[in-house]
Amino acid sequence: MQIEGKVWRYGDNIDTDVIIPARYLNTFDPAELAKHCMVDIDENFAKNVKAGDIIVGGKNFGCGSSREHAPVAIKASGVPVVIAASFARIFYRNGINIGLPLLEIGNDVEKISANDILKIDTATGTIENLTTGDKFKSQPLPGFVQEIAKAGGLINYIKNSDFK
Amino acid sequence: MGMTMSEKILAHHAGKNFVEPGQLVICPLDMVLANDVTGPPSIKEFEKIGKPVFDTEKIALIPDHFQPAKDIKSADLAKIMRDFAHKNKIKHYYEAGRVGIEHVILPEFGIVAPGMLTIGADSHTCTYGALNGFSTGVGTTDLAVGMATGKSWFKVPEAINVHLTGKKAKYISGKDVILTLIGKIGVDGALYKALEFSGEGVFELSMTDRLTISNMAIEAGAKAGIFPFDEITKNYVEGRVKKSYEPVAADTDAKYSQIVEINLSELKPVVALPHLPENVKNVEEVGEIKINQVVIGSCTNGRLEDLEIAAEILKNKKIHENVRAIIIPGSQAIYKEAVHRGLIDIFIDAGCVVSCPTCGPCLGGYMGILSAGERCVSTTNRNFRGRMGHVDSEVYLASPYVAAASAILGKISTPAEI
Ligand code: SF4
């Protein structure tokens, strides 16, 4: 997938409680969750995010609760990809499983600032910062996890393969 | 080459003699768990797959987060899970009044055992590592696939060997051990890895201490937090676990990515300051921090021994006039035993709120939500921004000793200060 979008930049240890606070977990409707996405850290996000915008975080993005409501809320906000120095493992799995590409790029995140425009190819993991001219590459997904991502998520994958 | 406990459990389930870190394996699951928040979306995904549940006895659906229902939407969530459980004849589904917090219930009912491989749509599923099992948190889609196929994929983790020595001093509990460890290695110190505990210090820790420690492995980013099997494990599971089980031990030549030494005799009562579990300080060093609320409960510290500790400190004492102290037994059996042993009398005489078993305020659900600027000392496991209520409220994580002492003095304190 080719993506070009504007950056919403966040710091280290963005936890799933701030991505979608528990007070909104009495529903799992994606559109409803998107209305409250990031509210406890950035009130402007849900109001102003545009389809195609990109979230960039620091290390351990998505730590804490296993709530898949968090990547679901991000995806339903129209964000097609999240980039971070590193991801917490359950969030990472959940992203792959629901077909939200997550690109891990280590310290290179420091070369991305709020409102930069990025051009991304999720298949190859190449990222170009059109604002600064920097180019980087993310870690590739391991083995059959790539197949899950290609299928658009685990449910589609399992329908065709049953973990064979 | 030798294997760690994690590697052995994953290898055994994958039908292999040997696995190594980084390897992807597909394993059959011994138990699959969800709660009233994660269960309903899992059920929706499950229905898309179009298969029956893989085993009615290997799925546990526990209504604990917002139950007994805190509002209409939560009642609707509970109903989705209840209807699914009845329709699919799920053995381990229990109604309020016969249940408690998932990670208290699964060990207590003997649903999880040594050597078992469990996934749960809840990050604190790592709790069962205390029983020498490999258990880890996943999201709702993994859970749905687990319910349908009885399998999941795993990346074999590297392990950190947490080597425990020495004996705990008075007023030190499992909570101080795990908070100290997280303070040392940080909230991403064990990212993608397993924590494996070893050393003679392990034998100094009760099952309650171990459950608290394994519970918070995820707070260091860990995939699992596993204890070796010993007499204490055996005594705990005896009479609870009805099936045969196979404990695992790490090989002496197992390879670890790191060794962290903790001498239990050097530990002090600690507290994790807002807003990360790694902001750990000795209680003696924090100065005067006035508080508004204390919560003693949750899947981290809502067990009988935790309530006994709180009662030991609160006996014949009064809660500070500016503080609400909320006590939440983790299960009905714990609640009943606490009544029987006179602990609930002690709490009520001291001026505490005593709640039925629920997650309640731990995740900011209900039963003790904080207002802007309020501070709470809590025996729960997360002090993220807004976790227990308003984004400008503060949560301080500590042991039941420190929580109870703080409730009496109205500020963060150790029992020695009373
Ligand atoms: S008590 Fe808290 S941490 Fe434990 S399962 Fe409930 S909400 Fe999660």
Side-chain angles (χ1 to χ4, degrees):
Chain A
M1 191 171 35
Q2 302 275 347
I3 297 163
E4 198 173 308
K6 190 190 81 167
V7 169
W8 292 79
R9 183 72 165 89
Y10 299 103
D12 292 341
N13 302 313
I14 297 298
D15 62 79
T16 52
D17 271 83
V18 306
I19 298 173
I20 183 75
R23 58 185 181 278
Y24 305 116
L25 295 186
N26 51 11
T27 176
F28 55 91
D29 172 28
E32 189 58 33
L33 293 171
K35 281 188 205 159
H36 310 291
C37 189
M38 310 302 277
V39 342
D40 279 358
I41 194 170
D42 183 354
E43 284 182 349
N44 292 320
F45 179 81
K47 275 186 240 158
N48 299 326
V49 65
K50 299 236 164 30
D53 285 359
I54 297 160
I55 289 181
V56 179
K59 61 174 187 164
N60 204 21
F61 188 94
C63 60
S65 153
S66 67
R67 59 188 72 156
E68 204 163 288
H69 309 65
V72 166
I74 290 175
K75 197 177 174 197
S77 303
V79 172
V81 57
V82 181
I83 299 171
S86 63
F87 289 95
R89 62 158 283 278
I90 303 177
F91 185 90
Y92 192 68
R93 249 187 117 99
N94 289 346
I96 293 165
N97 285 344
I98 65 162
L100 173 69
L102 304 176
L103 303 180
E104 205 165 56
I105 60 169
N107 290 335
D108 281 341
V109 284
E110 278 151 35
K111 296 179 203 150
I112 304 176
S113 316
N115 299 318
D116 283 359
I117 305 293
L118 304 184
K119 190 170 158 198
I120 298 166
D121 182 339
T122 55
T124 58
T126 48
I127 302 167
E128 193 178 347
N129 188 334
L130 299 180
T131 310
T132 63
D134 285 321
K135 280 188 194 160
F136 2 88
K137 218 169 153 50
S138 75
Q139 305 275 353
L141 291 174
F144 70 79
V145 177
Q146 264 185 32
E147 301 296 315
I148 298 175
K150 258 190 226 148
L154 186 61
I155 298 284
N156 285 342
Y157 175 79
I158 217 70
K159 275 189 187 160
N160 302 321
S161 77
D162 192 19
F163 278 136
K164 266 173 218 136
Chain B
M1 198 172 66
M3 287 193 284
T4 64
M5 291 184 278
S6 311
E7 288 162 0
K8 282 195 177 173
I9 296 176
L10 290 173
H12 177 80
H13 282 78
K16 295 182 189 302
N17 292 327
F18 182 76
V19 296
E20 57 189 346
Q23 192 174 337
L24 291 172
V25 288
I26 291 165
C27 296
L29 302 165
D30 298 311
M31 188 53 60
V32 174
L33 160 76
N35 57 53
D36 53 312
V37 167
T38 60
S42 292
I43 289 165
K44 194 173 148 208
E45 293 305 310
F46 170 84
E47 279 163 358
K48 288 184 195 160
I49 304 171
K51 284 189 184 159
V53 296
F54 82 105
D55 190 330
T56 56
E57 299 198 359
K58 292 185 178 171
I59 296 173
L61 300 175
I62 308 291
D64 57 356
H65 276 54
F66 299 151
Q67 309 300 329
K70 75 171 178 122
D71 54 22
I72 297 169
K73 283 184 177 175
S74 312
D76 293 345
L77 286 181
K79 190 161 181 297
I80 294 172
M81 198 160 88
R82 178 181 306 119
D83 290 348
F84 177 84
H86 288 164
K87 189 173 141 209
N88 292 284
K89 307 207 164 36
I90 302 299
K91 181 175 173 198
H92 298 299
Y93 170 78
Y94 309 91
E95 281 302 336
R98 280 145 278 173
V99 73
I101 303 170
E102 47 191 339
H103 310 308
V104 178
I105 288 297
L106 265 59
E108 187 182 289
F109 286 9
I111 298 172
V112 284
M116 267 179 61
L117 178 61
T118 302
I119 60 167
D122 189 282
S123 58
H124 294 105
T125 303
C126 52
T127 308
Y128 322 132
L131 298 179
N132 187 240
F134 189 94
S135 57
T136 194
V138 297
T140 47
T141 301
D142 271 318
L143 209 277
V145 169
M147 287 200 292
T149 65
K151 291 182 206 150
S152 197
W153 64 270
F154 298 90
K155 189 161 114 187
V156 178
E158 291 186 307
I160 297 177
N161 180 355
V162 182
H163 188 250
L164 304 173
T165 53
K167 280 188 194 312
K168 292 182 295 174
K170 198 168 160 53
Y171 302 141
I172 298 297
S173 78
K175 191 59 160 281
D176 302 292
V177 178
I178 186 66
L179 286 176
T180 301
L181 174 63
I182 297 166
K184 266 183 192 223
I185 67 175
V187 290
D188 63 348
L191 200 58
Y192 303 124
K193 295 179 183 167
L195 295 172
E196 297 203 1
F197 298 89
S198 68
E200 80 266 22
V202 165
F203 310 112
E204 296 299 316
L205 300 171
S206 67
M207 186 47 72
T208 298
D209 287 328
R210 297 178 190 187
L211 288 160
T212 301
I213 292 169
S214 293
N215 176 272
M216 289 191 70
I218 178 72
E219 262 55 70
K223 185 166 185 166
I226 309 182
F227 275 86
F229 180 88
D230 64 2
E231 276 301 304
I232 294 172
T233 332
K234 192 162 164 245
N235 290 339
Y236 183 86
V237 297
E238 230 164 47
R240 297 178 195 272
V241 175
K242 303 286 186 291
K243 292 190 238 171
S244 65
Y245 58 82
E246 229 173 287
V248 288
D251 290 325
T252 45
D253 57 345
K255 246 178 96 186
Y256 300 95
S257 65
Q258 188 185 347
I259 298 176
V260 180
E261 297 279 349
I262 293 187
N263 184 341
L264 300 177
S265 68
E266 290 169 1
L267 296 184
K268 296 256 167 71
V270 290
V271 56
L273 308 179
H275 294 284
L276 278 180
E278 69 181 19
N279 297 337
V280 176
K281 285 240 151 55
N282 289 339
V283 175
E284 295 165 359
E285 292 164 6
V286 297
E288 177 150 319
I289 301 178
K290 291 215 168 79
I291 58 165
N292 311 91
Q293 180 167 299
V294 165
V295 171
I296 297 175
S298 85
C299 60
T300 324
N301 286 106
R303 296 182 182 80
L304 191 63
E305 193 181 307
D306 300 311
L307 300 189
E308 282 188 315
I309 287 172
E312 175 194 331
I313 306 297
L314 293 173
K315 190 164 189 186
N316 299 324
K317 296 280 189 327
K318 292 282 178 218
I319 301 300
H320 189 274
E321 55 178 356
N322 297 336
V323 175
R324 292 112 36 195
I326 301 166
I327 315 268
I328 311 177
S331 73
Q332 288 291 105
I334 292 167
Y335 199 172
K336 187 173 175 197
E337 191 58 23
V339 171
H340 182 69
R341 296 192 189 186
L343 310 182
I344 303 294
D345 278 342
I346 294 173
F347 298 143
I348 292 178
D349 289 344
C352 300
V353 177
V354 182
S355 156
C356 65
T358 175
C359 294
C362 168
L363 80 162
Y366 65 139
M367 203 80 81
I369 302 304
L370 300 173
S371 172
E374 287 196 317
R375 292 200 187 108
C376 178
V377 176
S378 181
T379 67
T380 54
N381 45 37
R382 289 196 171 128
N383 56 353
F384 300 152
R385 187 159 222 127
R387 171 81 176 173
M388 210 179 262
H390 195 280
V391 298
D392 294 326
S393 59
E394 295 181 349
V395 178
Y396 294 75
L397 304 175
S399 70
Y401 283 117
V402 170
S406 304
I408 295 168
L409 294 175
K411 61 184 179 73
I412 297 178
S413 322
T414 66
E417 295 172 55
I418 295 174

